[in-house]
Amino acid sequence: MKKQRSSNIELLRIIAMFLIVLHHAIVHGGLDKTTIDFYTIPNFLVHGVTIFSLQSLVVFGKMGVAIFVLITGYFMVYSQARFVKVIKIWLAIFIYSLGLFVFTIAIGAQNFSLVDLVKSILPVIFTNYWFMTSYVVMYLFIPAINIFLNKATSGMRRLVIELLFLTNVILPIVFATMPDNAVALGATNITSFILLYLIGAEMRFRQLLQPRYRLVSRILFWGSLIGYIASVACLDGLGLITKKTFFIEHATVLSGSGSNGIFALGMAVGLFILVGTKPIKSRKSINLVAASTLSVYLIHDNPYIRPWLWHTVFGLGTVSMTAWWLSIVRLIVVTVIVYVIATLIDMARQGLFNRIENRFCSWAATRINVTNRWLEDKVSLVIAKLTR
């Protein structure tokens, strides 16, 4: 009899993606500066409580991103990255990227452009989804990363994590107003993902998903959340005192620029341990919904769908001008609607095309492996001739 999986980590994926959708509803809808300049002093004096509340929620989306990569590192460190998995991820990206581009043109939300068409056909190369580009590149490095992790000493692993933490977490804070400086010193989305992968793997090595670490994880999660909210309050307050919008505009700086915020990382590790140490029996409903988390992201954060979704469909551009509790309720309701609809769309896709997609991925992976072996043989032959 096949052993059933515990669904706690699958539930964590769902929670993480829900928070990512909520984050996008805020930053691309509720606090989208392309529609309203929220951070003028007069506007903040009137709607400051609501804006502060939304700024405080931003960190949860960054935490959600970190959780996804931590999970990958935790479970992949003893596994092999397969071409078929990469191809399956790429195929989903391609389908939704091109399909949603055509959809937005059909409904009049997007004008046709040859450049945008090429970007939609090659979304990973042209970073139509920054997360997926970084994730796919990181995934391709997993075999090499795992060789290092399984052969390096604990001291060497710790040193690499510390160096990446310095370049991808600390330096972006120091150079918050000069991001190019941080990038020049190694702070990129890809290296941030590698850092998260290494942390997830280290959690596996140290067996941190045990009940005795629950107290520490609670302190880490709540301490990080309170620290982040306090930092937002301090910067907003400093903006009001000095009458400079610079501080209010950068109040969320410690949430990070992608997934590298120090507080988001602390919250992600804490929540991962809390949920990971609470196993639940395998539930088909949870596993079914969790299987569509990637597609929920690909659907709702498509660059052509994004402005139409948050502004035309849900009109979130003015949500920061309502009472703080009402804005939060509205954003949560919208997030639930978007999550449910995106999940249903992906379930329909899987039901109709899953077998065809799996066959294509298996065929493509086989062809890639055959090509790789042919190239290896040719390279070996050339090297042998050159060294005679």
Side-chain angles (χ1 to χ4, degrees):
M1 180 176 166
K2 187 178 179 180
K3 185 179 179 180
Q4 290 185 320
R5 291 182 301 161
S6 173
S7 294
N8 57 335
I9 301 301
E10 302 305 307
L11 179 61
L12 182 59
R13 292 181 198 272
I14 296 171
I15 294 171
M17 184 51 66
F18 180 87
L19 294 174
I20 290 171
V21 178
L22 177 61
H23 168 86
H24 288 149
I26 295 171
V27 299
H28 298 310
L31 294 180
D32 184 359
K33 287 179 62 180
T34 60
T35 55
I36 300 173
D37 189 356
F38 300 96
Y39 303 120
T40 61
I41 297 301
N43 186 69
F44 196 82
L45 287 171
V46 177
H47 305 293
V49 175
T50 301
I51 294 172
F52 167 73
S53 300
L54 300 187
Q55 288 174 324
S56 298
L57 292 174
V58 165
V59 72
F60 285 100
K62 306 297 180 70
M63 179 195 73
V65 172
I67 284 174
F68 269 97
V69 188
L70 287 173
I71 290 173
T72 303
Y74 187 89
F75 288 100
M76 287 298 296
V77 66
Y78 290 131
S79 302
Q80 291 184 344
R82 298 177 299 161
F83 273 121
V84 67
K85 176 69 173 179
V86 178
I87 295 169
K88 194 169 181 63
I89 293 173
W90 170 85
L91 185 59
I93 300 170
F94 171 78
I95 289 171
Y96 284 116
S97 178
L98 182 58
L100 292 173
F101 175 69
V102 173
F103 171 76
T104 53
I105 292 174
I107 64 173
Q110 172 72 26
N111 294 324
F112 177 80
S113 163
L114 185 59
V115 172
D116 289 330
L117 175 62
V118 173
K119 288 182 178 180
S120 297
I121 294 173
L122 302 170
V124 175
I125 293 175
F126 290 103
T127 63
N128 263 12
Y129 300 96
W130 75 266
F131 174 87
M132 296 315 308
T133 297
S134 301
Y135 189 84
V136 168
V137 173
M138 180 208 70
Y139 202 92
L140 292 173
F141 276 99
I142 286 179
I145 295 172
N146 284 352
I147 290 173
F148 163 76
L149 287 174
N150 288 289
K151 291 188 176 181
T153 63
S154 60
M156 181 60 70
R157 297 198 309 267
R158 185 173 64 251
L159 176 62
V160 172
I161 289 175
E162 289 171 351
L163 289 172
L164 287 174
F165 185 84
L166 173 64
T167 57
N168 289 273
V169 178
I170 303 301
L171 289 182
I173 297 173
V174 175
F175 295 107
T177 59
M178 298 177 289
D180 289 343
N181 290 40
V183 171
L185 292 169
T188 68
N189 290 323
I190 294 172
T191 52
S192 292
F193 277 24
I194 291 174
L195 168 62
L196 291 168
Y197 184 95
L198 294 178
I199 293 174
E202 195 66 24
M203 291 173 66
R204 181 74 175 272
F205 288 140
R206 297 178 182 274
Q207 299 181 344
L208 295 186
L209 297 192
Q210 296 187 45
R212 68 173 180 267
Y213 295 114
R214 288 184 61 80
L215 177 59
V216 174
S217 63
R218 286 194 188 96
I219 294 172
L220 184 59
F221 176 82
W222 289 109
S224 297
L225 177 58
I226 293 170
Y228 169 73
I229 294 174
S231 73
V232 173
C234 288
L235 289 170
D236 280 344
L238 193 58
L240 288 175
I241 293 170
T242 62
K243 303 299 182 184
K244 293 185 181 298
T245 59
F246 170 85
F247 297 105
I248 300 172
E249 290 175 351
H250 292 85
T252 61
V253 64
L254 294 183
S255 69
S257 59
S259 60
N260 56 357
I262 187 169
F263 291 123
L265 177 57
M267 291 170 63
V269 172
L271 188 61
F272 188 12
I273 295 173
L274 281 172
V275 176
T277 53
K278 280 283 189 178
I280 57 178
K281 291 182 179 179
S282 180
R283 296 182 183 177
K284 289 184 178 179
S285 57
I286 292 176
N287 296 343
L288 182 65
V289 173
S292 294
T293 51
L294 172 63
S295 295
V296 170
Y297 169 76
L298 295 174
I299 293 169
H300 90 273
D301 205 41
N302 178 276
Y304 308 110
I305 283 288
R306 188 189 301 148
W308 172 79
L309 179 66
W310 301 127
H311 292 287
T312 304
V313 177
F314 292 108
L316 295 181
T318 59
V319 74
S320 68
M321 297 182 179
T322 59
W324 68 270
W325 63 270
L326 189 60
S327 67
I328 293 175
V329 170
R330 183 178 172 187
L331 285 165
I332 291 175
V333 170
V334 168
T335 300
V336 170
I337 293 171
V338 171
Y339 198 106
V340 170
I341 292 176
T343 300
L344 291 176
I345 290 172
D346 189 63
M347 287 180 177
R349 177 188 68 85
Q350 291 187 51
L352 291 171
F353 304 110
N354 201 41
R355 288 187 179 181
I356 297 173
E357 291 177 12
N358 287 339
R359 288 178 182 176
F360 170 79
C361 293
S362 297
W363 172 83
T366 300
R367 298 309 306 167
I368 290 173
N369 287 327
V370 169
T371 303
N372 281 345
R373 286 194 294 269
W374 181 83
L375 288 172
E376 288 173 1
D377 291 341
K378 291 298 181 182
V379 170
S380 298
L381 183 61
V382 171
I383 292 174
K385 289 182 177 180
L386 291 174
T387 55
R388 283 178 182 175

